[in-house]
């Protein structure tokens, strides 16, 4: 009887192991296929909105990339293409300035909220809270695409 129970346990472990390997392989393959389906400009990891990859590591197309695509699709002449590049470059600069201003405002509001929370905590709770905050800051993805725990690169 004990031998039968041991066999059942080993069989269950074997089935679980096979399932785990299949799941891991499926996830890895899916990630690979998602990467392969990205447009060519997205796989490069070049400049994004903060000088690094954009959302999910996908690079936003530059104003030149967009202008080139529109010039082909709309059959623009040379003068129109030059003006379009200037418009897109100015627009990108304005949007990045807006985004930067919003980031500073958001960071200020977060600091204010953290200070209000800290004010109601006991010293022991405050120490835990500050430790959690530091961990969050270390693990948060950084502007510039440098990833968690790595200081951002030099500003543009």
């Amino acid at each position: 009887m004990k031998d039968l129970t041991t066999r059942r346990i080993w069989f269950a472990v074997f089935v679980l192991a096979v399932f785990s390997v299949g799941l891991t392989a499926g996830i890895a393959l899916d990630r690979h296929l998602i990467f392969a389906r990205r447009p060519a400009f997205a796989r490069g990891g070049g400049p994004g909105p903060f000088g690094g990859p954009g959302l999910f590591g996908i690079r936003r197309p530059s104003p030149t990339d967009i202008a080139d695509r529109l010039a082909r699709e709309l059959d623009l002449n040379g003068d129109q293409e030059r003006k379009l590049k200037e418009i897109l470059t100015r627009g990108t600069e304005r949007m990045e300035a807006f985004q930067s201003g919003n980031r500073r405002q958001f960071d200020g509001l977060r600091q204010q909220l953290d200070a209000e929370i800290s004010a109601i905590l006991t010293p022991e709770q405050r120490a835990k809270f500050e430790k959690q905050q530091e961990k969050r800051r270390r693990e948060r993805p950084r502007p510039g695409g440098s990833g968690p725990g790595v200081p951002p690169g030099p500003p543009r």
Side-chain angles (χ1 to χ4, degrees), residues 6 21 32 66 69 130 132 145:
T6 304
V21 169
H32 175 73
I66 296 169
R69 181 180 53 82
E130 289 172 2
Q132 289 173 345

Side-chain angles (χ1 to χ4, degrees), residues 46 95 104 121:
M95 286 188 281
R104 284 190 298 270
L121 301 176

Side-chain angles (χ1 to χ4, degrees), residues 77-95:
N77 64 37
D79 187 47
Q80 289 174 312
E81 186 175 352
R82 181 185 55 76
K83 288 178 182 177
L84 177 63
K85 285 181 183 179
E86 291 172 5
I87 291 167
L88 290 172
T89 299
R90 281 193 314 269
T92 299
E93 290 168 358
R94 288 191 307 250
M95 286 188 281

Side-chain angles (χ1 to χ4, degrees), residues 37-87:
R37 286 188 297 238
R38 289 183 191 162
F41 72 82
R43 291 192 294 267
F50 293 107
L55 186 63
F56 305 117
I58 298 175
R59 177 180 78 85
R60 282 191 187 169
S62 71
T64 304
D65 294 336
I66 296 169
D68 291 343
R69 181 180 53 82
L70 286 174
R72 280 191 314 273
E73 292 175 359
L74 301 175
D75 196 28
L76 301 179
N77 64 37
D79 187 47
Q80 289 174 312
E81 186 175 352
R82 181 185 55 76
K83 288 178 182 177
L84 177 63
K85 285 181 183 179
E86 291 172 5
I87 291 167

Side-chain angles (χ1 to χ4, degrees), residues 97-156:
F98 174 78
Q99 206 169 24
S100 176
N102 283 345
R103 169 56 59 191
R104 284 190 298 270
Q105 186 178 8
F106 178 82
D107 288 343
L109 290 172
R110 179 178 290 277
Q111 288 173 355
Q112 182 182 8
L113 179 64
D114 289 348
E116 290 176 25
I117 292 170
S118 186
I120 66 166
L121 301 176
T122 67
E124 296 83 20
Q125 292 169 330
R126 192 173 299 117
K128 279 185 183 180
F129 180 68
E130 289 172 2
K131 188 175 179 180
Q132 289 173 345
Q133 297 299 89
E134 183 57 37
K135 181 180 178 187
R136 186 192 76 217
R137 281 191 277 284
R138 278 194 318 267
E139 293 176 354
R140 180 178 65 191
R142 306 287 182 146
S146 53
V150 178
R156 290 197 275 173

Side-chain angles (χ1 to χ4, degrees), residues 15-52:
V15 169
L16 183 62
V18 169
F19 176 78
S20 298
V21 169
L23 179 65
T24 303
I27 290 171
L29 184 60
D30 184 54
R31 302 283 178 185
H32 175 73
L33 291 176
I34 287 172
F35 182 78
R37 286 188 297 238
R38 289 183 191 162
F41 72 82
R43 291 192 294 267
F50 293 107

